[in-house]
Amino acid sequence: MRVSLSKSDRSFSVAPEQSVLEAALDAGLNLPHSCKGGNCGACRARLLQGEVRYPNGRPLGLSDAEVQEGYILLCQARAAGDLSIETVEMSTPEEAVIKRLPSRIERMQALSHDVMGVFLRLPAAESFNFEPGQYVDIMLPGGRRRSFSIASPPHDSRLLELHIRRVAGGEFTEALFAADARSALLSVEGPLGRFVYKPAAGEPAPMLLVGGGTGLAPLKSIFRHVIENDLDREMILYWGVRSERDLYAHGELEDLARRTPNFRYRAVLSEPSAVWEGRRGWVHEAVLHDFERLDAADIYASGPPAMIAALRREFELRGADPARLFFDSFDYAPDTLERQRMMAATKS
């Protein structure tokens, strides 16, 4: 079966049980996407011809109105025949081509009890140009892949910094934490994703950055890009985690806020200890407490699907411009979720 992109002469093949997005990535086309779990809606496209099906039912990231308007989510849709779709395409051939490169783990740094900083070195002879906020896929046996945001900015790309959380039942992360993986060779594919820094058009608007857990990683790439390139942007970062031991970059962020006039930082804990003197609750609610209106800011949000869903709903009610609300939704890979379900069933 073939999938044609209406705004160009590009097309690619797709297998019956393969998602349209997966087939596009395999063909080297970096179509818009984020969570790959059907929650964020970033891979939304208009179906012009053909039919699709959803093996797990209609995804949560697709509303009734969007279905009526002919939209589909590429990360979940399976083709029932040849398709023609309309989606955002990259502006240049260089942007559309994804590279698959070997990489070596240069060093690893335990950031917290369940987050590891992993620094990858790519081949010196290969260029790897990415935008702040993008991610890479680490390729696993059998064509499986794991997605991790790049925490380092493009101008400091000698090593790619990843923040990797240990996931129960995770094929890649369990092995990474269980053994010393320094100098291990990995195959990476990227850069991927359209959650990227948007240069100011006209008068620079303030930037509101909202992260949940390791959703800090792409935001770190973005604010380092802004600060270290002396871009004139006011920024405030809200970082939400569960408890004090999950604040793996707290000292670094506090120090950065002290040294940088245009950068402010707020930590928000959902389950803090009794001695915690900072903000408590959900991170998006802390933002709503501090801002009566959100129409003046460019908003970048990165974190779990529930956080992104709440943020999109509540922030637009406070006047946030949907065209200036950029988000990256993190979710577990389908085979990891299945492994977790099997583990839970075994223990019950």
Side-chain angles (χ1 to χ4, degrees):
M1 295 178 288
R2 299 293 297 180
V3 179
S4 302
L5 305 182
S6 66
K7 294 184 178 181
S8 71
D9 58 359
R10 296 189 182 119
S11 66
F12 54 93
S13 62
V14 57
E17 297 305 318
Q18 188 179 33
S19 74
V20 177
L21 176 62
E22 182 183 2
L25 294 176
D26 286 348
L29 296 174
N30 185 12
L31 299 184
H33 64 283
S34 179
C35 74
K36 299 182 184 176
N39 296 298
C40 71
C43 65
R44 185 175 62 238
R46 190 187 295 274
L47 180 63
L48 302 179
Q49 292 181 357
E51 295 182 5
V52 301
R53 59 185 179 83
Y54 297 109
N56 301 313
R58 195 184 80 191
L60 296 175
L62 202 59
S63 68
D64 291 337
E66 289 168 333
V67 172
Q68 292 297 318
E69 293 173 9
Y71 285 101
I72 62 174
L73 290 191
L74 301 181
C75 72
Q76 299 299 304
R78 269 60 171 176
D82 291 347
L83 306 177
S84 174
I85 61 174
E86 180 183 71
T87 185
V88 176
E89 298 174 37
M90 306 310 154
S91 59
T92 67
E94 290 75 18
E95 283 184 303
V97 176
I98 301 167
K99 289 188 175 183
R100 184 173 294 190
L101 299 172
S103 68
R104 183 182 299 277
I105 297 181
E106 181 84 359
R107 61 186 174 94
M108 296 170 55
Q109 177 184 357
L111 300 177
S112 74
H113 66 104
D114 67 347
V115 177
M116 185 76 72
V118 176
F119 297 81
L120 301 181
R121 184 174 296 279
L122 300 178
E126 288 279 358
S127 62
F128 187 79
N129 301 315
F130 66 94
E131 298 180 67
Q134 289 191 294
Y135 68 91
V136 294
D137 275 356
I138 293 178
M139 310 307 296
L140 302 180
R144 298 185 303 280
R145 55 179 75 213
R146 294 294 181 267
S147 302
F148 299 102
S149 292
I150 304 171
S152 45
H155 64 268
D156 187 13
S157 59
R158 294 164 297 174
L159 296 177
L160 297 185
E161 177 184 348
L162 312 179
H163 297 174
I164 298 180
R165 181 181 300 283
R166 185 171 192 169
V167 176
E171 177 184 3
F172 175 68
T173 63
E174 290 280 17
L176 183 73
F177 278 75
D180 185 353
R182 284 174 294 184
S183 298
L185 291 175
L186 301 172
S187 177
V188 301
E189 194 170 272
L192 298 165
R194 302 308 301 162
F195 177 73
V196 298
Y197 170 71
K198 309 291 184 182
E203 185 69 21
M207 292 171 57
L208 180 58
L209 312 174
V210 186
T214 53
L216 174 68
L219 301 179
K220 182 177 180 181
S221 179
I222 290 171
F223 65 68
R224 281 194 59 193
H225 171 79
V226 171
I227 293 169
E228 293 168 25
N229 285 284
D230 295 322
L231 303 181
D232 184 20
R233 303 296 298 267
E234 291 289 329
M235 295 180 292
I236 180 168
L237 168 68
Y238 287 79
W239 184 30
V241 297
R242 180 172 295 176
S243 64
E244 288 93 327
R245 70 173 185 165
D246 300 306
L247 286 170
Y248 63 82
H250 188 57
E252 175 187 355
L253 293 171
E254 286 190 319
D255 182 62
L256 182 64
R258 284 191 294 267
R259 294 185 288 104
T260 310
N262 66 335
F263 178 78
R264 290 177 287 161
Y265 163 59
R266 304 286 184 268
V268 185
L269 304 189
S270 60
E271 299 178 14
S273 69
V275 299
W276 172 252
E277 297 180 351
R279 306 291 292 271
R280 297 167 177 260
W282 300 114
V283 65
H284 74 282
E285 292 178 346
V287 177
L288 294 172
H289 177 272
D290 293 351
F291 291 88
E292 186 65 31
R293 296 288 299 172
L294 293 169
D295 50 338
D298 290 345
I299 302 171
Y300 296 81
S302 177
M307 184 199 92
I308 297 298
L311 181 148
R312 292 176 66 191
R313 179 180 62 253
E314 300 297 332
F315 280 23
E316 289 187 23
L317 293 176
R318 289 288 180 92
D321 182 353
R324 296 164 60 199
L325 176 54
F326 314 110
F327 52 88
D328 193 8
S329 180
F330 287 22
D331 207 352
Y332 296 138
D335 56 305
T336 296
L337 289 171
E338 180 60 28
R339 190 172 293 141
Q340 289 176 332
R341 284 192 288 268
M342 292 175 63
M343 290 171 59
T346 302
K347 294 177 180 178
S348 62

